[in-house]
Amino acid sequence: MTESPEASRKRPRTDRRPRYSEASTSARGMTTRSRSQSIAQPASHLQFTSGASASGHRAARTSAGRMPTKGSLEDITTDSEASETEDVEEKESSQSDVVLTSKLIGELANDADITAKLELVFSDPCTLARSFPQLDPVLAAKCPVDVSDVCKMYTFLFARASDELLEDLRSLTISTISMMDSDPCDEHDNQMNAILILLLNPKIIEYAHEYGAFAFPELCSAILALTPTQRVVLMQYFASAGGAVICERRAASASSSAPVTAMPPANAASVLPLGSGVSADVELAGASSEDIAPFWRYIRIFQSYITRETNRVARRATNAPASGEAVLQKVGLHLLNTCSLPVVAQCLALMNSYNNTHKLVPYSAFYNDAVNEHIDIKEDVPRFRMPESVSFCSYPFLLSPTTKSEIIKNESIILMRTELQDSFFRAMFSGVTCPYLVLEVRRDSLVRDTLYQLDLKLSQDLRKQLKVRFVGEEGVDEGGVQKEFFQLIVRDVFSSKYGIFKANDESQYHWFIPQANPTPDALEEMRLTGQLIGLAVYNAVILDIHLPPALYKKLLGIQVDRDDLKEVDPALYHGLTQLMLLSAEELEYLERTFEVEYDDMGQLRTHELIPNGAHTTLTVDNREMFIDKYVDFVFNSSCARQFTEFKAGFDRICSMSYVRFMRPQELELLVCGCSDLDFGALEGSTIYDGGYSKDARVIQHFWKVVGDFSDELKRKLLFFATSSDRVPIGGLSKLHFVIAKNGGDSDRLPTSHTCFNVLLLPEYSTIDKLRERLLTAIHNSEGF
């Protein structure tokens, strides 16, 4: 039986240590330092404890093993009621006069002395937060914690490899986390600093209470308990706290019991191992390693916990064979520890949101391999639609494009079955209705026939399974005919004869043709285009279209910017960029005003970018505004009505789909598929039937011939066998492709069952004959 995160936070703790400030209530009222005492002190004020006093510390601990005595604290700290003058003098001490906590602990040779010192550092969150102050003003402006000092301390502790000492560190860390949860520090900024210090512990996700529960989710609860402003500040610490990667390298060195040496600089991407749960193909997106490495490391901390918990459940050996190997199982979030994993995912969601704004790491860094491998989509999707249910679908940043496409496909199957059942039910009372969305079209009038029939359909009809019939051709559509239909109709819609879209000569991306007053027919065709793309997504058909990332952004409600113009019109982007390099005299010579000229179906029109733009001259002071207004004109003003209709058509099919949780890049993959023609992956996943095997001579000849094909011929082969030349998300290994034997050696051409992606291949006697027959077939593949 699991408990909610709220119940977990309210659960009484059995392991408590009094805060240092509780030694004197009068001291608490007089000064903050009594509660936030820093262990990093000026050397002139330090008094080291002897081995005997350290032993006294250990003897004085309670049964919980962690409470230092008041007397021992006084031996190693300055008086908590020191005068204001002394405090000021301490603050004015130079950095060279300060003994860092790591050095203070590192100079102790006895485990008992080290434990006594740790008991002081971890006496409460505020003391911990103040024990590693950043004294460099430049670094302190980014993060008040000396991360390097923290890392040195952990490196020293793990290098000693003393079981008793490491157990003390675990116990003290858990106790401090429990204090955060039950009695948050009244100095809330210290709470953030303490969280940062605890997260730098390489073993933080492994620490567990005596009763078995892990402490890391409690630390995540402390993060979620921060105010929104403090959460943002904590994310800034994650992004800028230098030394995190160094800490990781030092901890790795310590775990191998290697001697502690001078710390190397974190100046190479190779310093940062990705580890489990983070995609290995992500790039650094142009950021320096100093900027990106800390944030990436904190992502990995939360990812590692999610990965471990997911794998733990997936590898339960309840149905293990005799060999004892665990059987991997599909899992849903509700099967995991529901009182812990969601709070960890919510912390990762905070980092994802911050990264969306500042773009520190590629978004694919948030994909979790374990979740994508083991998620039980068939169970997770229905739970996602239920109120107050837990589901991996609630955290889309964890899911890869392949997983999201499977979720959308599963949603579509559920809706299609529902509509099918409703059709049979309605037939009992109101007459027979077709259980499918049937389109009967002529090849020479695809757009007109489709537009007319879709306008007559109700919204519930569009959610039925699509069946396409070409007039005058016999055949049953089991998937192959509809794929050919979509390939043909989008070719017509995006051609220049309809005047809806125009392809840029340089980028080859299609964009809306500017029209001041588009005709009703043009708007209707635009709505049809949006519906077609929505229907293709709903029916899992990949389209051969070239739309820029800006369009997918607009469909998902994401604002476009100047960088998007570079994809749509590189020449215009370059021209606007050059404006920023011109001098005031050069801009004056241009005599440019806030106007734009454009071709509206053969008629030259002028558009004012701002009110009275025709009389507003472009200058150095207003050129930024000119560029922004020009970009807004291209993406918004010039095509406002066209895009509104296009989006209305798309939303008519996909408004309630999981599509709305995708990123623009992922939506583009969903619509257009992958561009990687890896036929080696296709060969590895191909199924053989009818007497063929991968070792058959004709099969070996086939793959040798195909391996010599150009990309154009490979796409034609795909179209011949599957009715689509597009590669599904995840690559050709995800394509269910079958090669079946179709008789012995003969002059017959290869044929295909496009509905089932089956290539029927006769057993040709020679490789030359196979090549000639195959090329003849794929060059004449269009039509039924």
Side-chain angles (χ1 to χ4, degrees), residues 454-723:
L454 287 179
D455 273 348
L456 298 178
K457 303 297 182 181
L458 301 175
S459 296
Q460 59 262 32
D461 292 328
L462 298 177
R463 291 193 291 268
K464 297 176 180 178
Q465 185 177 354
L466 177 64
K467 299 286 186 180
V468 178
R469 297 173 185 167
F470 286 107
V471 175
E473 300 178 8
E474 295 182 2
V476 178
D477 184 10
E478 294 294 339
V481 180
Q482 66 176 254
K483 286 189 287 185
E484 183 181 5
F485 161 76
F486 278 112
Q487 294 287 350
L488 297 176
I489 194 169
V490 296
R491 183 191 306 171
D492 283 350
V493 168
F494 286 91
S495 66
S496 57
K497 69 178 182 180
Y498 280 98
I500 302 176
F501 295 93
K502 181 180 179 180
N504 183 272
D505 295 334
E506 187 175 352
S507 68
Q508 295 303 309
Y509 278 126
H510 288 84
W511 191 251
F512 303 96
I513 294 178
Q515 290 181 277
N517 296 295
T519 64
D521 288 343
L523 295 176
E524 206 168 11
E525 291 171 350
M526 191 60 65
R527 186 170 64 254
L528 165 67
T529 306
Q531 286 183 355
L532 286 173
I533 296 177
L535 279 174
V537 170
Y538 186 71
N539 289 274
V541 178
I542 301 173
L543 303 177
D544 182 14
I545 58 178
H546 303 277
L547 296 172
L551 184 59
Y552 299 105
K553 278 188 173 183
K554 288 172 67 67
L555 283 174
L556 296 173
I558 300 174
Q559 187 174 1
V560 295
D561 52 33
R562 298 182 189 180
D563 292 336
D564 294 305
L565 184 62
K566 186 177 182 180
E567 303 285 348
V568 176
D569 193 336
L572 177 58
Y573 174 84
H574 177 74
L576 292 176
T577 303
Q578 289 299 111
L579 287 179
M580 298 301 299
L581 305 177
L582 299 181
S583 64
E585 292 76 13
E586 289 171 327
L587 286 175
E588 183 179 358
Y589 177 77
L590 286 179
E591 297 183 350
R592 186 66 188 259
T593 60
F594 277 64
E595 288 182 300
V596 176
E597 291 184 348
Y598 64 95
D599 182 7
D600 184 355
M601 306 300 289
Q603 183 178 359
L604 189 63
R605 294 185 180 274
T606 303
H607 173 80
E608 290 187 327
L609 297 177
I610 60 175
N612 200 32
H615 300 91
T616 304
T617 305
L618 176 63
T619 65
V620 172
D621 296 330
N622 63 20
R623 60 184 172 186
E624 286 274 4
M625 181 175 66
F626 176 84
I627 295 174
D628 290 337
K629 293 296 183 181
Y630 205 129
V631 171
D632 181 72
F633 168 76
V634 172
F635 288 128
N636 300 312
S637 304
S638 67
C639 57
R641 296 182 63 187
Q642 297 98 304
F643 176 76
T644 298
E645 292 298 322
F646 179 87
K647 188 176 188 302
F650 181 82
D651 288 344
R652 191 181 182 195
I653 315 294
C654 298
S655 61
M656 299 303 294
S657 168
Y658 200 74
V659 166
R660 66 187 187 276
F661 295 105
M662 302 189 81
R663 298 179 185 271
Q665 302 89 336
E666 296 170 339
L667 179 56
E668 183 177 8
L669 279 176
L670 183 67
V671 173
C672 303
C674 178
S675 60
D676 186 15
L677 285 171
D678 185 3
F679 267 64
L682 180 62
E683 181 180 357
S685 62
T686 297
I687 300 172
Y688 302 98
D689 195 15
Y692 280 154
S693 69
K694 65 178 181 179
D695 297 323
R697 187 177 66 169
V698 66
I699 295 299
Q700 294 178 353
H701 287 169
F702 173 82
W703 290 115
K704 180 175 177 55
V705 168
V706 171
D708 295 334
F709 278 0
S710 64
D711 285 351
E712 181 182 0
L713 286 177
K714 288 178 179 178
R715 291 196 179 278
K716 286 188 175 183
L717 174 60
L718 285 177
F719 185 81
F720 172 74
T722 69
S723 280

